[in-house]
Amino acid sequence: MDEQYSCVIIGAGPAGLSVAIAITKNSKKKVLVLDREKHPGGILNQCIHTGFGLTQYKEELTGPEYAWRVYSEAKELGIEIRLSTSVIRVSEDKVITTISAEKGIEKIKAQAIVFCTGCRERARGVIHIPGDRPAGVYTAGLAQKFINIDGYLPGKRVVILGSGDIGLIMARRLTFQGAKVLAVLEASSFVGGLSRNVVQCLDDFGIPLYLSHTIIDIVGKNRVEKVKIARVDENMRAIRGTEFEINCDTVLLSIGLIPENELAEMAQVKLDPATNGAIVDENYMTNISGIFSCGNALHVHDLVDKLAVEAQTVGKKVAEYISGGVFAESDIIVTHDDFIRYLLPKKISGKSDVRFHFRVRRPLSDVVLKLNNFERKFPYLQPNEMSSVLIPAKHFEDIEEGIQREIKIWIREN
């Protein structure tokens, strides 16, 4: 073994750096942060718009400014951050194999590992858009990199499929750069991104939004020439007679994000099919003792400030673990009803208060979330916004003992 650390964090984005800071502040253990990129900060480096840090720093920062704040704090604490280093394997016994130009192939042994590997965009093949395969079809994040990092304009007449936050923000960004955004299409009956981004990025610039619409054909020999669009029903089937065309040279896809967990799977970490993130308990530990997950690698967040709060919690738990702390066994399985798309943690001990994070499947108003005799009213819940609820430990006391203990969280509409 080349090196040993108390904790190795994979990913130097806002989650990874925030976890490292929290561990260092709550223990005196040796921490290492690894990242394959040349610069820390992750996806924030290409997010040059404002809106970051409002909760954490009480300021409106750009993505790079926010990343620099977190990175500077980590460096001031003396945290070791190793960039341009790719992790190529993680074993179940917490041995990490890395490769870099500086050190070649190395093996690092860790007492604890935290996966903060972020997420990736869904591409065209995921939703099987029919039609030609011309140039000019990009994910929204790639187009963002082209403009904000590389200085290239990906197109002049643009149609955006999907109303995720990156797509909405790119509609505004392309307009600033002189391109014409002809339409934003969303197959669902509700918007996928934050309401503020609909107002600030579409409404303020007169960009039309078509809900319950999708692309049914992309036409173009060498470059995109036009798209064919149709309205869809509740089963996402195109409705005949509603078709129309838009002439364009570019299609951007903003059709969702997927947590990056290939390395976690190598380590035999079990994933939740609903999120593609790890299944974790109330301590954010996976099914492998000493392996934790955090940030967009666990579940996709809508705000980096929420991610930072989660990372601070995870860091405290990891600090406790590597300092010899013993967690109560998480032997209670948490389930939910069909109103909820996903919920975490999936396992709890029942010995302490637990903050649950969840997303609903469709917009709901005037609802009550229930668990046994616990109730919490919500005036509204939106699929595009992560929600949370803190349930005190006393509400877990009546769970029956047995081979498999289980609780169910459910939502009632008033």
Side-chain angles (χ1 to χ4, degrees):
M1 206 64 59
D2 296 301
E3 296 179 282
Q4 292 194 9
Y5 287 84
S6 295
C7 182
V8 175
I9 299 161
I10 303 175
L17 294 174
S18 296
V19 167
I21 290 168
I23 294 172
T24 304
K25 287 182 175 180
N26 289 277
S27 73
K28 296 182 179 180
K29 301 295 184 178
K30 191 178 181 183
V31 176
L32 171 66
V33 182
L34 302 171
D35 200 288
R36 64 190 176 192
E37 300 295 333
K38 295 179 180 179
H39 306 285
I43 197 68
L44 290 181
N45 291 318
Q46 68 185 53
C47 299
I48 64 172
H49 53 279
T50 58
F52 302 92
L54 291 170
T55 301
Q56 186 174 4
Y57 295 113
K58 311 301 179 186
E59 293 182 53
E60 191 173 27
L61 306 173
T62 65
E65 288 173 330
Y66 185 100
W68 181 253
R69 287 280 185 96
V70 182
Y71 173 68
S72 298
E73 186 176 356
K75 293 302 290 183
E76 286 174 6
L77 291 170
I79 295 169
E80 183 179 354
I81 302 169
R82 199 173 293 175
L83 303 173
S84 299
T85 302
S86 294
V87 176
I88 57 176
R89 182 173 174 78
V90 180
S91 67
E92 190 175 349
D93 58 350
K94 298 186 283 294
V95 175
I96 301 163
T97 305
T98 67
I99 186 168
S100 65
E102 181 181 352
K103 293 178 175 288
I105 296 177
E106 266 198 315
K107 287 191 174 182
I108 302 169
K109 176 66 176 175
Q111 182 184 350
I113 295 173
V114 188
F115 284 106
C116 298
T117 45
C119 57
R120 67 177 185 272
E121 294 180 280
R122 295 179 187 271
R124 177 178 180 176
V126 175
I127 58 173
H128 309 293
I129 302 174
D132 300 324
R133 294 292 187 268
V137 181
Y138 310 101
T139 61
L142 178 59
Q144 186 182 57
K145 180 179 181 296
F146 281 163
I147 293 179
N148 295 344
I149 302 294
D150 302 325
Y152 297 120
L153 185 65
K156 296 181 179 180
R157 293 177 58 81
V158 184
V159 171
I160 299 176
L161 177 61
S163 58
D165 286 311
I166 301 176
L168 298 176
I169 289 165
M170 283 308 298
R172 178 179 61 184
R173 187 75 179 94
L174 285 160
T175 303
F176 284 160
Q177 291 302 119
K180 178 66 174 177
V181 179
L182 303 164
V184 174
L185 312 171
E186 173 55 60
S188 297
S189 59
F190 50 85
V191 176
L194 296 172
S195 299
R196 75 180 190 193
N197 285 333
V198 175
V199 174
Q200 296 173 1
C201 301
L202 300 187
D203 296 349
D204 287 356
F205 297 92
I207 298 170
L209 170 66
Y210 295 86
L211 297 177
S212 299
H213 282 77
T214 192
I215 294 174
I216 59 172
D217 195 10
I218 295 177
V219 180
K221 185 176 181 181
N222 297 313
R223 178 85 188 194
V224 173
E225 297 170 10
K226 64 181 178 180
V227 292
K228 296 181 180 179
I229 298 162
R231 187 175 180 85
V232 296
D233 60 21
E234 61 273 11
N235 297 313
M236 300 298 168
R237 297 194 192 98
I239 301 173
R240 289 187 178 183
T242 64
E243 300 91 347
F244 63 96
E245 297 180 353
I246 296 180
N247 295 322
C248 60
D249 60 25
T250 304
V251 176
L252 296 192
L253 304 177
S254 180
I255 52 178
L257 302 168
I258 308 171
E260 286 270 19
N261 276 307
E262 287 78 6
L263 291 172
E265 287 187 283
M266 283 186 189
Q268 305 302 311
V269 169
K270 293 180 180 178
L271 303 184
D272 182 352
T275 62
N276 206 51
I279 295 174
V280 297
D281 63 16
E282 63 194 54
N283 303 302
Y284 291 85
M285 189 184 291
T286 68
N287 58 294
I288 307 296
S289 180
I291 296 184
F292 299 77
S293 183
C294 179
N296 285 344
L298 178 59
H299 59 134
V300 177
H301 293 64
D302 41 76
L303 294 172
V304 72
D305 294 82
K306 291 182 180 179
L307 182 149
V309 171
E310 178 184 280
Q312 290 161 11
T313 301
V314 176
K316 291 176 183 178
K317 295 294 185 180
V318 176
E320 183 180 349
Y321 177 85
I322 61 179
S323 299
V326 178
F327 297 141
E329 183 182 1
S330 296
D331 60 348
I332 301 172
I333 297 172
V334 185
T335 62
H336 55 79
D337 67 8
D338 288 339
F339 280 117
I340 298 173
R341 183 165 68 85
Y342 79 79
L343 178 144
L344 60 88
K346 284 291 186 71
K347 295 181 179 181
I348 64 172
S349 66
K351 306 296 184 184
S352 58
D353 300 350
V354 179
R355 179 167 293 281
F356 291 94
H357 301 284
F358 65 97
R359 287 185 190 266
V360 292
R361 294 185 183 276
R362 62 177 176 82
L364 300 170
S365 59
D366 189 21
V367 298
V368 177
L369 182 143
K370 295 175 66 68
L371 169 66
N372 298 333
N373 60 344
F374 173 85
E375 290 190 359
R376 163 75 187 278
K377 293 183 178 180
F378 289 89
Y380 65 89
L381 292 170
Q382 298 286 345
N384 54 11
E385 295 183 15
M386 186 178 70
S387 303
S388 67
V389 59
L390 180 66
I391 300 182
K394 65 181 181 180
H395 295 286
F396 308 129
E397 293 174 354
D398 297 332
I399 300 172
E400 294 183 3
E401 296 289 344
I403 297 174
Q404 179 173 304
R405 298 203 292 166
E406 185 175 300
I407 59 172
K408 184 173 184 177
I409 293 176
W410 54 283
I411 288 176
R412 185 190 71 217
E413 289 186 287
N414 289 330

